[in-house]
Amino acid sequence: MAPSSDIDYMRRALELARGAAARGEVPVGAVLVRDGEILAEGANQPITTHDPTAHAEIVTLRAAGSVLADYRLAGATLYVTLEPCAMCAAALVHARVARVVFGAWDPKAGAAGSITDVFAIPQLNHRVDVFGGVLADECGTLLSDFFRARRL
């Protein structure tokens, strides 16, 4: 069955996050959807690519831009397992993504309300509808378990 709800798409993002964890990356996954079709997927890969900008959101935006031959992703929804950071939030605004749905809140670097809210800056020329907390416990547990294991 094809994904059709916020929870279904977040579950796919969680699968991608688990794959990132298996590669030693911080477990964050993202899925970009428009009109019920998955345009692109990605997961964190800054360690393996030696690229500090290779967050799951950026990887996914780049893939979608390549597939569509367009950097503007109007009408798309990004599902991501962790609240976007300032870099990712700004990229989502620039890409004209319509909606962001995230799982766990990020009290240390979250830019959708935790430490700041990039999406609410009135001077920016695009508004993104943001909704957090979808499968938050599952997304948060994946991150907590990953970091706990690294501290052992």
Side-chain angles (χ1 to χ4, degrees), residues 4-21:
S4 60
S5 72
D6 288 351
I7 290 173
D8 292 332
Y9 291 119
M10 189 62 72
R11 287 197 192 291
R12 176 62 188 147
L14 274 162
E15 289 174 22
L16 296 164
R18 288 184 191 98

Side-chain angles (χ1 to χ4, degrees), residues 33-109:
V33 176
R34 184 167 61 191
D35 299 325
E37 178 185 351
I38 294 176
L39 299 176
E41 301 177 328
N44 268 6
Q45 50 183 284
I47 296 167
T48 54
T49 62
H50 312 289
D51 179 356
T53 69
H55 290 193
E57 300 95 324
I58 302 297
V59 169
T60 303
L61 291 176
R62 287 177 180 157
S66 291
V67 166
L68 299 173
D70 193 352
Y71 74 98
R72 296 261 170 104
L73 305 170
T77 297
L78 182 87
Y79 296 87
V80 62
T81 57
L82 182 64
E83 178 184 4
C85 70
M87 173 185 70
C88 293
L92 290 159
V93 170
H94 186 67
R96 306 298 195 272
V97 169
R99 186 169 174 246
V100 172
V101 177
F102 67 87
W105 294 89
D106 185 350
K108 293 182 180 179

